[in-house]
Amino acid sequence: MSSVTVASKREHRVTTRSLLRRKGASEPFSMLTAYDYTFARIFDRAGIEVLLVGDSVANTVQGLDSTLPVTLDEMIYHCRLVSRGVRRALLVGDMPFGAYQVSPAHAVASAIRMVKEGGVAAVKLEGGTAQQATIERIVRAEIPVMGHVGLTPQALHRMGGYRVQGRTARGRERVIKDALAVEAAGAFALVIEGVPARLAQEITARVGIPTIGIGAGVHCDGQVLVMHDLLGLSETAPSFVRQYANLGLQTSRAARAFAADVAARKFPGDEHGYA
Ligand code: KIV
């Protein structure tokens, strides 16, 4: 592919429609989480197709043990920061726990706030059959929905921990039913988290919308990682993560070097001051 083709491909905005066309493509697409302007800009310019303002902001940025406490207002705030850095990627905002479970009407109101105040093009929510009516209502309000099945962190207490789902025959049926319900409700894409690779492969073959895997093997139409895991900023990362940089170590080294220079009066130098 020539550099001109690559450049023009990069400039086209990724939309829910263009993502749908990636279903079954030989080349999977990538999605990363982002929580602020700086990283959103870097990921967008690097050609990442989908940016997700994940409720994982609770763990990565807020230092919480679960995603349950993060609020709709906080999610909207982070969506707004990220939206300022996005030119090309499809921007998806995660609906936090409590923002869509009460009723479909309440969910539509929350989703509208994510779009109007947060600037996202689509919302993501967790759950399958239990959320089918809710997804339908949000889609009817002209807001595209990305589903999320398998290991759904907001169901932490039902699952009894962050456990791989779909390992038993019953669990497997449940995840498949959930995936089919999300598609039937009109979602444009589906995150499959924490399930055996063979199950994700089967779901990917059965649904007509792109699947995006995280801890779900190589057969999905796309892959997603939490940016702190990708960049080596997490204290611990799950075994399915590949760390592509060690910014934690580099940042620590930079901070120590700065402190040492300050202590030794090696910083600032003459070139860093005003005459
Ligand atoms: O919140 C999040 O980061 C997510 C991804 C793991 C898909 O939901």
Side-chain angles (χ1 to χ4, degrees), residues 26-120:
S26 55
E27 192 181 298
F29 59 87
S30 35
M31 169 161 120
L32 281 175
T33 66
Y35 314 103
D36 68 14
Y37 165 76
T38 306
F39 282 103
R41 185 173 45 80
I42 294 169
F43 295 153
D44 182 80
R45 305 305 182 267
I48 298 297
E49 277 102 335
V50 188
L51 291 185
L52 170 70
V53 184
D55 63 352
S56 51
V57 69
N59 313 111
T60 56
V61 177
Q62 298 182 332
L64 294 164
D65 283 343
S66 83
T67 56
L68 299 179
V70 69
T71 65
L72 181 60
D73 283 342
E74 288 166 342
M75 288 306 300
I76 289 170
Y77 170 74
H78 285 280
C79 289
R80 221 165 36 232
L81 306 190
V82 169
S83 72
R84 292 180 195 138
V86 174
R87 276 203 313 233
R88 175 184 172 268
L90 176 69
L91 179 56
V92 182
D94 225 354
M95 301 266 274
F97 181 65
Y100 61 95
Q101 288 88 349
V102 176
S103 69
H106 178 234
V108 172
S110 301
I112 288 174
R113 284 197 63 201
M114 304 270 289
V115 172
K116 277 177 105 81
E117 299 171 45
V120 301

Side-chain angles (χ1 to χ4, degrees), residues 138-202:
I138 300 173
V139 170
R140 278 216 304 275
E142 311 293 3
I143 300 174
V145 176
M146 177 181 281
H148 184 159
V149 299
L151 194 169
T152 47
Q154 292 177 15
L156 166 68
H157 298 306
R158 172 181 57 76
M159 295 183 302
Y162 298 112
R163 295 167 185 282
V164 174
Q165 301 293 298
R167 275 187 161 148
T168 62
R170 227 169 114 212
R172 205 183 138 72
E173 278 319 300
R174 181 190 173 124
V175 180
I176 292 172
K177 260 191 175 167
D178 280 343
L180 295 175
V182 167
E183 181 185 30
F188 72 93
L190 175 65
V191 170
I192 307 177
E193 178 168 355
V195 305
R198 293 257 296 271
L199 175 54
Q201 182 177 17
E202 180 180 340

Side-chain angles (χ1 to χ4, degrees), residues 242-258:
R242 183 176 293 161
Q243 190 183 301
Y244 285 84
N246 196 341
L247 294 199
L249 187 65
Q250 277 185 270
T251 306
S252 166
R253 282 191 183 143
R256 284 168 201 271
F258 167 67

